Amino acid sequence: MMVNSTQKKSRGIKLMIAVALGLVSAACSESSDTPVGETMDESSNALAKHSVESKVNYATEKPFEQRLGKPVVYQVFTRLFGNTTQPTKPWGTIADNGVGKFNDFTTKALQEIRALGVTHIWYTGILHHAVINDYQNIGISSDDPDVVKGRAGSPYAVKDYYNVNPDLAVEPSKRMQEFESLIERTHAAGLKVIIDIVPNHVARNYQSMAAPEGVVDFGEQDDTSVEYRRDNDFYYIVGESFRVPEKTEQYQPLGGEKHPLADGEFIEVPAKWTGNGSRSAQPSQDDWYETVKINYGVRPDGTYDFPRLPQSYADKSIAEHRAFWEKQQVPASWIKFRDITEFWLSKGVDGFRFDVAELVPVEFWSYLNSHIKTINPDAFLLAEIYQPPLFRDFISIGKMDYLYDKVDFYDTLKLVMQDRAPVSQLLKVQDEYQDIRENLLHFLENHDEQRIASEPFVGDANIGKPALVVSSTISESPMLVYFAQELGEAAKDDPGFGDPTRTTIFDYWAVPSLQRWVNGGQFDGALLTKGEQELRDFYKKVLNISVNHPAMLGSYFSLHDFNLKNSEGYSERAISFIRENRNHRMIVVANFDTKQRQTFELKIPSNVITTWQFSDGNYPLVELLDEENNINMQVKNKIGRIKVDLQPLQSYIFELSE
């Protein structure tokens, strides 16, 4: 169920971003009479100076204090990371297929992840979700396969928000201590920890065995005689009992294997709304049948039963948002999730990725995030959201740091990679979100998306190289990499419940390319193929440039339209743009074509050259991906010219030196 879109509301645009937009516009016309520098802020004096020749290798790992770029997030599916079991079989049990553990993230493993060019690790599947494995000996109730997806369970059907997945512990009874040790190791390696919070829904069998004293479970105090009450945690289908989805060829608990609890029944009286909003007592197999929807004070007719935040708060501070909510009465579910996030912050977690955040009212995010930021102003807050009309409200009112940039950036970039859309279409998307570009997290893969190397995507991880360069360098926003993406993992095998092309999150499984890099716990990549190692080396260079280079936090402007009109040989399969931050200037050029070499003279418009105060002459360019491939930019008649020869799928990241 999708929430209703709200009308797009523009925010005030930061002066630096307004400057960048001015540069984009000016760069489209060589004959512009207005020097770009006349629109720039006080940093223009620094920007106008020639930069000194680079002596820093930005493409290699740097100490924390020398990381002057932007965040890079490494999403890892914790259950699969350290699993070295071979072979695996579809629908295999934990005994058959094995499972990764917290302890698999050794100091060496974490150091190697950081060296890849990473600042944050998003440990996916940490919270205690519904599982099939039997842990009754440590006081955990068994879960019914009729309402569990896959053999290992969905990480987004959380059963206990105050504990972690027992599958991930060497000693399940000490699982929290093992996770706390992982947090300590992660911090010691110079990385920050992100975990999921899933406010929209919980597992049907939610029951916390580890909640602190005084914490009330979800639904424990609900009035189940009514469909809705503001302080009920769930919605109820009064007078009906829950019925599991009808069995079909696609829906077979445990793949049809016999299990004492897999009897086609799950007792829930009265039935609750399903997590995706289904109001049927018998949801379908396509519904999120393993979960139940949380009530945030939204009546069944869609109207709100809580104080509305005035629109003027879009421009107010975290402290002002916090002060507003301290005077209000809010639904019980809001308070429960406030306490949950505070609990995990106290454990040392540095941030949260909020699942399907758009299915929860934006006022709740103002309430929750202002509380989180009061405790930890540097907390990393990322929302999964797919409705662009909601983007600006979730940033300004909901106080999110970052949003998924799937719609429209990822979706369009995927089309470009598949040669189904021109680069101009991608840059049109980029221009549309200039005022919030720093808030839109980029990715090429995650647990919901197909692997680049899978046949339905492009079938070859190398085709993702120019897309990686563009996603990583086109804006200030964070870049996310999904584990084994840097190895070209194709996820081609059938794990059981999960589908090939996406690494499964529902099954006990293993990731073959990652196993070769792990090398029995050595984490040295000794078993990687030549192609896998070369791809990882490329990712390492690009991500370290992204996380280290100061230009990543500066302005952006496109060279694409100007060169389409003025550079012979430049085409819609090429992309070019400038990133600039004070005296740090970067020119990015990439070729998306898989077969055609592109040779042209890249031109820098006169208004940009005027802003830089470059006179006619030659200016050295340091190519950051290959330092032996250094060339010059020639300035003649106030036009910059760079002779570019791009092989198929090749990219250049030039640093401009004096």
Side-chain angles (χ1 to χ4, degrees), residues 230-265:
R230 196 197 72 163
D231 288 321
N232 277 359
D233 294 322
F234 303 129
Y235 298 92
Y236 294 91
I237 306 169
V238 180
E240 293 191 59
S241 299
F242 173 78
R243 302 187 305 281
V244 303
E246 290 185 8
K247 291 184 179 181
T248 66
E249 185 177 340
Q250 290 77 31
Y251 176 71
Q252 294 286 334
L254 303 182
E257 178 185 312
K258 291 185 177 181
H259 186 282
L261 294 179
D263 55 3
E265 295 184 2

mmCIF file of all heavy atoms in Angstrom, residues 230-265:
data_model
loop_
_atom_site.group_PDB
_atom_site.id
_atom_site.type_symbol
_atom_site.label_atom_id
_atom_site.label_comp_id
_atom_site.label_asym_id
_atom_site.label_seq_id
_atom_site.Cartn_x
_atom_site.Cartn_y
_atom_site.Cartn_z
ATOM 1 N N ARG A 230 -6.492 5.413 18.992
ATOM 2 C CA ARG A 230 -5.224 6.113 18.781
ATOM 3 C C ARG A 230 -4.049 5.431 19.449
ATOM 4 O O ARG A 230 -2.957 5.318 18.872
ATOM 5 C CB ARG A 230 -5.318 7.567 19.271
ATOM 6 C CG ARG A 230 -4.186 8.431 18.741
ATOM 7 C CD ARG A 230 -4.020 9.727 19.498
ATOM 8 N NE ARG A 230 -3.451 9.507 20.829
ATOM 9 C CZ ARG A 230 -2.904 10.468 21.576
ATOM 10 N NH1 ARG A 230 -2.876 11.709 21.127
ATOM 11 N NH2 ARG A 230 -2.421 10.203 22.760
ATOM 12 N N ASP A 231 -4.214 4.952 20.659
ATOM 13 C CA ASP A 231 -3.090 4.372 21.392
ATOM 14 C C ASP A 231 -3.006 2.858 21.267
ATOM 15 O O ASP A 231 -2.201 2.226 21.963
ATOM 16 C CB ASP A 231 -3.145 4.797 22.861
ATOM 17 C CG ASP A 231 -2.778 6.266 23.031
ATOM 18 O OD1 ASP A 231 -1.865 6.725 22.320
ATOM 19 O OD2 ASP A 231 -3.412 6.956 23.847
ATOM 20 N N ASN A 232 -3.820 2.264 20.419
ATOM 21 C CA ASN A 232 -3.576 0.873 20.038
ATOM 22 C C ASN A 232 -2.340 0.826 19.143
ATOM 23 O O ASN A 232 -2.154 1.688 18.280
ATOM 24 C CB ASN A 232 -4.768 0.308 19.256
ATOM 25 C CG ASN A 232 -5.879 -0.192 20.164
ATOM 26 O OD1 ASN A 232 -5.766 -0.145 21.388
ATOM 27 N ND2 ASN A 232 -6.955 -0.671 19.557
ATOM 28 N N ASP A 233 -1.530 -0.183 19.307
ATOM 29 C CA ASP A 233 -0.355 -0.324 18.447
ATOM 30 C C ASP A 233 -0.693 -0.944 17.099
ATOM 31 O O ASP A 233 0.038 -0.761 16.119
ATOM 32 C CB ASP A 233 0.708 -1.190 19.142
ATOM 33 C CG ASP A 233 1.270 -0.524 20.384
ATOM 34 O OD1 ASP A 233 1.461 0.710 20.358
ATOM 35 O OD2 ASP A 233 1.511 -1.234 21.387
ATOM 36 N N PHE A 234 -1.795 -1.709 17.043
ATOM 37 C CA PHE A 234 -2.175 -2.406 15.817
ATOM 38 C C PHE A 234 -3.593 -2.019 15.405
ATOM 39 O O PHE A 234 -4.367 -1.458 16.193
ATOM 40 C CB PHE A 234 -2.114 -3.929 16.018
ATOM 41 C CG PHE A 234 -0.781 -4.449 16.476
ATOM 42 C CD1 PHE A 234 -0.683 -5.282 17.585
ATOM 43 C CD2 PHE A 234 0.387 -4.123 15.804
ATOM 44 C CE1 PHE A 234 0.543 -5.772 18.020
ATOM 45 C CE2 PHE A 234 1.623 -4.600 16.212
ATOM 46 C CZ PHE A 234 1.694 -5.434 17.334
ATOM 47 N N TYR A 235 -3.935 -2.346 14.171
ATOM 48 C CA TYR A 235 -5.303 -2.248 13.668
ATOM 49 C C TYR A 235 -5.909 -3.654 13.693
ATOM 50 O O TYR A 235 -5.222 -4.636 13.373
ATOM 51 C CB TYR A 235 -5.318 -1.736 12.229
ATOM 52 C CG TYR A 235 -4.749 -0.359 12.029
ATOM 53 C CD1 TYR A 235 -3.401 -0.182 11.717
ATOM 54 C CD2 TYR A 235 -5.553 0.777 12.099
ATOM 55 C CE1 TYR A 235 -2.873 1.073 11.495
ATOM 56 C CE2 TYR A 235 -5.037 2.049 11.880
ATOM 57 C CZ TYR A 235 -3.684 2.193 11.580
ATOM 58 O OH TYR A 235 -3.165 3.441 11.358
ATOM 59 N N TYR A 236 -7.185 -3.756 14.012
ATOM 60 C CA TYR A 236 -7.824 -5.062 14.183
ATOM 61 C C TYR A 236 -8.996 -5.260 13.216
ATOM 62 O O TYR A 236 -9.723 -4.322 12.881
ATOM 63 C CB TYR A 236 -8.297 -5.234 15.620
ATOM 64 C CG TYR A 236 -7.135 -5.282 16.585
ATOM 65 C CD1 TYR A 236 -6.661 -4.117 17.186
ATOM 66 C CD2 TYR A 236 -6.474 -6.479 16.840
ATOM 67 C CE1 TYR A 236 -5.569 -4.147 18.041
ATOM 68 C CE2 TYR A 236 -5.375 -6.519 17.700
ATOM 69 C CZ TYR A 236 -4.925 -5.351 18.286
ATOM 70 O OH TYR A 236 -3.829 -5.384 19.119
ATOM 71 N N ILE A 237 -9.148 -6.489 12.772
ATOM 72 C CA ILE A 237 -10.286 -6.882 11.939
ATOM 73 C C ILE A 237 -11.253 -7.596 12.885
ATOM 74 O O ILE A 237 -11.183 -8.820 13.084
ATOM 75 C CB ILE A 237 -9.835 -7.785 10.783
ATOM 76 C CG1 ILE A 237 -8.717 -7.079 9.987
ATOM 77 C CG2 ILE A 237 -11.015 -8.138 9.871
ATOM 78 C CD1 ILE A 237 -8.018 -7.967 8.989
ATOM 79 N N VAL A 238 -12.093 -6.827 13.527
ATOM 80 C CA VAL A 238 -12.929 -7.306 14.629
ATOM 81 C C VAL A 238 -13.893 -8.387 14.134
ATOM 82 O O VAL A 238 -14.524 -8.258 13.086
ATOM 83 C CB VAL A 238 -13.709 -6.140 15.257
ATOM 84 C CG1 VAL A 238 -14.581 -6.639 16.405
ATOM 85 C CG2 VAL A 238 -12.740 -5.065 15.752
ATOM 86 N N GLY A 239 -13.955 -9.466 14.899
ATOM 87 C CA GLY A 239 -14.883 -10.545 14.590
ATOM 88 C C GLY A 239 -14.335 -11.587 13.639
ATOM 89 O O GLY A 239 -15.027 -12.546 13.300
ATOM 90 N N GLU A 240 -13.084 -11.444 13.203
ATOM 91 C CA GLU A 240 -12.492 -12.421 12.299
ATOM 92 C C GLU A 240 -11.146 -12.897 12.844
ATOM 93 O O GLU A 240 -10.401 -12.130 13.467
ATOM 94 C CB GLU A 240 -12.277 -11.831 10.904
ATOM 95 C CG GLU A 240 -13.554 -11.504 10.160
ATOM 96 C CD GLU A 240 -13.281 -11.187 8.700
ATOM 97 O OE1 GLU A 240 -12.731 -12.069 7.995
ATOM 98 O OE2 GLU A 240 -13.597 -10.057 8.279
ATOM 99 N N SER A 241 -10.857 -14.156 12.595
ATOM 100 C CA SER A 241 -9.556 -14.726 12.952
ATOM 101 C C SER A 241 -8.637 -14.695 11.731
ATOM 102 O O SER A 241 -9.090 -14.795 10.585
ATOM 103 C CB SER A 241 -9.727 -16.175 13.428
ATOM 104 O OG SER A 241 -10.547 -16.236 14.573
ATOM 105 N N PHE A 242 -7.368 -14.585 12.004
ATOM 106 C CA PHE A 242 -6.375 -14.587 10.917
ATOM 107 C C PHE A 242 -6.328 -15.952 10.247
ATOM 108 O O PHE A 242 -6.421 -16.994 10.905
ATOM 109 C CB PHE A 242 -4.996 -14.248 11.482
ATOM 110 C CG PHE A 242 -3.870 -14.379 10.478
ATOM 111 C CD1 PHE A 242 -3.650 -13.393 9.532
ATOM 112 C CD2 PHE A 242 -3.046 -15.499 10.482
ATOM 113 C CE1 PHE A 242 -2.618 -13.514 8.613
ATOM 114 C CE2 PHE A 242 -2.017 -15.628 9.567
ATOM 115 C CZ PHE A 242 -1.804 -14.634 8.625
ATOM 116 N N ARG A 243 -6.189 -15.934 8.933
ATOM 117 C CA ARG A 243 -6.003 -17.161 8.157
ATOM 118 C C ARG A 243 -4.757 -16.991 7.289
ATOM 119 O O ARG A 243 -4.562 -15.929 6.677
ATOM 120 C CB ARG A 243 -7.226 -17.458 7.280
ATOM 121 C CG ARG A 243 -8.508 -17.596 8.087
ATOM 122 C CD ARG A 243 -9.690 -18.061 7.249
ATOM 123 N NE ARG A 243 -9.962 -17.232 6.094
ATOM 124 C CZ ARG A 243 -10.598 -16.059 6.126
ATOM 125 N NH1 ARG A 243 -10.996 -15.558 7.305
ATOM 126 N NH2 ARG A 243 -10.841 -15.393 5.029
ATOM 127 N N VAL A 244 -3.928 -18.017 7.253
ATOM 128 C CA VAL A 244 -2.694 -17.926 6.480
ATOM 129 C C VAL A 244 -3.034 -17.878 4.996
ATOM 130 O O VAL A 244 -4.119 -18.298 4.573
ATOM 131 C CB VAL A 244 -1.749 -19.115 6.777
ATOM 132 C CG1 VAL A 244 -1.438 -19.191 8.261
ATOM 133 C CG2 VAL A 244 -2.339 -20.431 6.284
ATOM 134 N N PRO A 245 -2.136 -17.345 4.173
ATOM 135 C CA PRO A 245 -2.413 -17.290 2.726
ATOM 136 C C PRO A 245 -2.668 -18.680 2.156
ATOM 137 O O PRO A 245 -2.155 -19.688 2.646
ATOM 138 C CB PRO A 245 -1.118 -16.694 2.158
ATOM 139 C CG PRO A 245 -0.514 -15.935 3.295
ATOM 140 C CD PRO A 245 -0.852 -16.716 4.518
ATOM 141 N N GLU A 246 -3.467 -18.713 1.116
ATOM 142 C CA GLU A 246 -3.716 -19.976 0.442
ATOM 143 C C GLU A 246 -2.419 -20.511 -0.159
ATOM 144 O O GLU A 246 -1.638 -19.764 -0.735
ATOM 145 C CB GLU A 246 -4.762 -19.787 -0.670
ATOM 146 C CG GLU A 246 -6.158 -19.512 -0.163
ATOM 147 C CD GLU A 246 -7.153 -19.450 -1.306
ATOM 148 O OE1 GLU A 246 -6.763 -19.769 -2.454
ATOM 149 O OE2 GLU A 246 -8.319 -19.086 -1.057
ATOM 150 N N LYS A 247 -2.218 -21.806 -0.004
ATOM 151 C CA LYS A 247 -1.022 -22.413 -0.561
ATOM 152 C C LYS A 247 -1.134 -22.482 -2.076
ATOM 153 O O LYS A 247 -2.147 -22.911 -2.625
ATOM 154 C CB LYS A 247 -0.800 -23.811 0.019
ATOM 155 C CG LYS A 247 -0.420 -23.815 1.491
ATOM 156 C CD LYS A 247 -0.113 -25.215 1.983
ATOM 157 C CE LYS A 247 0.289 -25.205 3.446
ATOM 158 N NZ LYS A 247 0.608 -26.579 3.945
ATOM 159 N N THR A 248 -0.091 -22.051 -2.726
ATOM 160 C CA THR A 248 0.002 -22.147 -4.178
ATOM 161 C C THR A 248 1.372 -22.711 -4.504
ATOM 162 O O THR A 248 2.173 -23.019 -3.614
ATOM 163 C CB THR A 248 -0.142 -20.768 -4.837
ATOM 164 O OG1 THR A 248 0.985 -19.960 -4.477
ATOM 165 C CG2 THR A 248 -1.429 -20.070 -4.412
ATOM 166 N N GLU A 249 1.641 -22.826 -5.776
ATOM 167 C CA GLU A 249 2.962 -23.321 -6.183
ATOM 168 C C GLU A 249 4.058 -22.383 -5.690
ATOM 169 O O GLU A 249 5.162 -22.807 -5.367
ATOM 170 C CB GLU A 249 3.017 -23.445 -7.706
ATOM 171 C CG GLU A 249 4.301 -24.066 -8.226
ATOM 172 C CD GLU A 249 4.290 -24.250 -9.722
ATOM 173 O OE1 GLU A 249 3.191 -24.269 -10.304
ATOM 174 O OE2 GLU A 249 5.364 -24.379 -10.313
ATOM 175 N N GLN A 250 3.734 -21.074 -5.607
ATOM 176 C CA GLN A 250 4.725 -20.098 -5.160
ATOM 177 C C GLN A 250 4.799 -20.016 -3.630
ATOM 178 O O GLN A 250 5.840 -19.667 -3.079
ATOM 179 C CB GLN A 250 4.388 -18.712 -5.717
ATOM 180 C CG GLN A 250 4.596 -18.569 -7.220
ATOM 181 C CD GLN A 250 3.481 -19.217 -8.027
ATOM 182 O OE1 GLN A 250 2.335 -19.261 -7.576
ATOM 183 N NE2 GLN A 250 3.805 -19.739 -9.193
ATOM 184 N N TYR A 251 3.698 -20.320 -2.946
ATOM 185 C CA TYR A 251 3.683 -20.209 -1.484
ATOM 186 C C TYR A 251 3.611 -21.591 -0.856
ATOM 187 O O TYR A 251 2.554 -22.220 -0.790
ATOM 188 C CB TYR A 251 2.502 -19.352 -1.007
ATOM 189 C CG TYR A 251 2.400 -19.311 0.506
ATOM 190 C CD1 TYR A 251 3.340 -18.615 1.260
ATOM 191 C CD2 TYR A 251 1.389 -19.992 1.176
ATOM 192 C CE1 TYR A 251 3.256 -18.591 2.641
ATOM 193 C CE2 TYR A 251 1.294 -19.969 2.565
ATOM 194 C CZ TYR A 251 2.239 -19.270 3.286
ATOM 195 O OH TYR A 251 2.173 -19.249 4.647
ATOM 196 N N GLN A 252 4.751 -22.071 -0.415
ATOM 197 C CA GLN A 252 4.854 -23.340 0.292
ATOM 198 C C GLN A 252 5.798 -23.134 1.471
ATOM 199 O O GLN A 252 7.003 -22.953 1.269
ATOM 200 C CB GLN A 252 5.418 -24.432 -0.634
ATOM 201 C CG GLN A 252 4.516 -24.801 -1.799
ATOM 202 C CD GLN A 252 3.322 -25.624 -1.358
ATOM 203 O OE1 GLN A 252 3.358 -26.308 -0.345
ATOM 204 N NE2 GLN A 252 2.256 -25.571 -2.136
ATOM 205 N N PRO A 253 5.299 -23.064 2.700
ATOM 206 C CA PRO A 253 6.200 -22.911 3.838
ATOM 207 C C PRO A 253 7.321 -23.949 3.798
ATOM 208 O O PRO A 253 7.072 -25.144 3.572
ATOM 209 C CB PRO A 253 5.279 -23.116 5.048
ATOM 210 C CG PRO A 253 3.931 -22.720 4.549
ATOM 211 C CD PRO A 253 3.889 -23.158 3.119
ATOM 212 N N LEU A 254 8.541 -23.470 3.968
ATOM 213 C CA LEU A 254 9.736 -24.322 3.952
ATOM 214 C C LEU A 254 9.849 -25.123 2.655
ATOM 215 O O LEU A 254 10.403 -26.223 2.635
ATOM 216 C CB LEU A 254 9.754 -25.267 5.160
ATOM 217 C CG LEU A 254 9.679 -24.604 6.536
ATOM 218 C CD1 LEU A 254 9.760 -25.641 7.633
ATOM 219 C CD2 LEU A 254 10.787 -23.571 6.688
ATOM 220 N N GLY A 255 9.291 -24.576 1.585
ATOM 221 C CA GLY A 255 9.370 -25.250 0.303
ATOM 222 C C GLY A 255 8.566 -26.528 0.236
ATOM 223 O O GLY A 255 8.808 -27.384 -0.613
ATOM 224 N N GLY A 256 7.616 -26.681 1.147
ATOM 225 C CA GLY A 256 6.786 -27.876 1.166
ATOM 226 C C GLY A 256 7.254 -28.938 2.144
ATOM 227 O O GLY A 256 6.584 -29.962 2.327
ATOM 228 N N GLU A 257 8.379 -28.706 2.792
ATOM 229 C CA GLU A 257 8.895 -29.680 3.764
ATOM 230 C C GLU A 257 7.977 -29.746 4.985
ATOM 231 O O GLU A 257 7.426 -28.744 5.437
ATOM 232 C CB GLU A 257 10.306 -29.260 4.182
ATOM 233 C CG GLU A 257 10.939 -30.154 5.226
ATOM 234 C CD GLU A 257 12.293 -29.604 5.677
ATOM 235 O OE1 GLU A 257 13.099 -29.261 4.800
ATOM 236 O OE2 GLU A 257 12.510 -29.511 6.891
ATOM 237 N N LYS A 258 7.830 -30.922 5.539
ATOM 238 C CA LYS A 258 6.987 -31.095 6.716
ATOM 239 C C LYS A 258 7.649 -30.491 7.947
ATOM 240 O O LYS A 258 8.864 -30.572 8.132
ATOM 241 C CB LYS A 258 6.694 -32.573 6.949
ATOM 242 C CG LYS A 258 5.779 -33.192 5.896
ATOM 243 C CD LYS A 258 5.417 -34.628 6.244
ATOM 244 C CE LYS A 258 4.445 -35.210 5.220
ATOM 245 N NZ LYS A 258 4.059 -36.608 5.551
ATOM 246 N N HIS A 259 6.823 -29.884 8.778
ATOM 247 C CA HIS A 259 7.288 -29.266 10.024
ATOM 248 C C HIS A 259 6.109 -29.298 10.987
ATOM 249 O O HIS A 259 4.958 -29.081 10.579
ATOM 250 C CB HIS A 259 7.741 -27.827 9.755
ATOM 251 C CG HIS A 259 8.369 -27.152 10.947
ATOM 252 N ND1 HIS A 259 7.627 -26.632 11.986
ATOM 253 C CD2 HIS A 259 9.677 -26.915 11.250
ATOM 254 C CE1 HIS A 259 8.438 -26.090 12.881
ATOM 255 N NE2 HIS A 259 9.689 -26.256 12.456
ATOM 256 N N PRO A 260 6.336 -29.580 12.267
ATOM 257 C CA PRO A 260 5.207 -29.719 13.203
ATOM 258 C C PRO A 260 4.326 -28.483 13.305
ATOM 259 O O PRO A 260 3.130 -28.607 13.623
ATOM 260 C CB PRO A 260 5.899 -30.030 14.544
ATOM 261 C CG PRO A 260 7.335 -29.677 14.354
ATOM 262 C CD PRO A 260 7.633 -29.874 12.916
ATOM 263 N N LEU A 261 4.879 -27.292 13.039
ATOM 264 C CA LEU A 261 4.070 -26.079 13.135
ATOM 265 C C LEU A 261 3.510 -25.632 11.793
ATOM 266 O O LEU A 261 2.663 -24.736 11.744
ATOM 267 C CB LEU A 261 4.901 -24.944 13.754
ATOM 268 C CG LEU A 261 5.332 -25.131 15.207
ATOM 269 C CD1 LEU A 261 6.172 -23.952 15.677
ATOM 270 C CD2 LEU A 261 4.117 -25.306 16.111
ATOM 271 N N ALA A 262 3.999 -26.224 10.707
ATOM 272 C CA ALA A 262 3.537 -25.841 9.367
ATOM 273 C C ALA A 262 2.261 -26.605 9.035
ATOM 274 O O ALA A 262 2.255 -27.528 8.221
ATOM 275 C CB ALA A 262 4.632 -26.108 8.344
ATOM 276 N N ASP A 263 1.172 -26.206 9.683
ATOM 277 C CA ASP A 263 -0.098 -26.934 9.557
ATOM 278 C C ASP A 263 -1.183 -26.108 8.883
ATOM 279 O O ASP A 263 -2.368 -26.456 8.915
ATOM 280 C CB ASP A 263 -0.582 -27.367 10.934
ATOM 281 C CG ASP A 263 -0.700 -26.204 11.906
ATOM 282 O OD1 ASP A 263 -0.464 -25.046 11.490
ATOM 283 O OD2 ASP A 263 -1.018 -26.447 13.090
ATOM 284 N N GLY A 264 -0.785 -24.977 8.283
ATOM 285 C CA GLY A 264 -1.769 -24.135 7.616
ATOM 286 C C GLY A 264 -2.572 -23.275 8.560
ATOM 287 O O GLY A 264 -3.584 -22.694 8.150
ATOM 288 N N GLU A 265 -2.132 -23.166 9.811
ATOM 289 C CA GLU A 265 -2.855 -22.358 10.786
ATOM 290 C C GLU A 265 -1.878 -21.503 11.594
ATOM 291 O O GLU A 265 -0.739 -21.906 11.861
ATOM 292 C CB GLU A 265 -3.647 -23.249 11.743
ATOM 293 C CG GLU A 265 -4.772 -24.037 11.081
ATOM 294 C CD GLU A 265 -5.586 -24.822 12.091
ATOM 295 O OE1 GLU A 265 -5.284 -24.715 13.304
ATOM 296 O OE2 GLU A 265 -6.517 -25.539 11.685
#
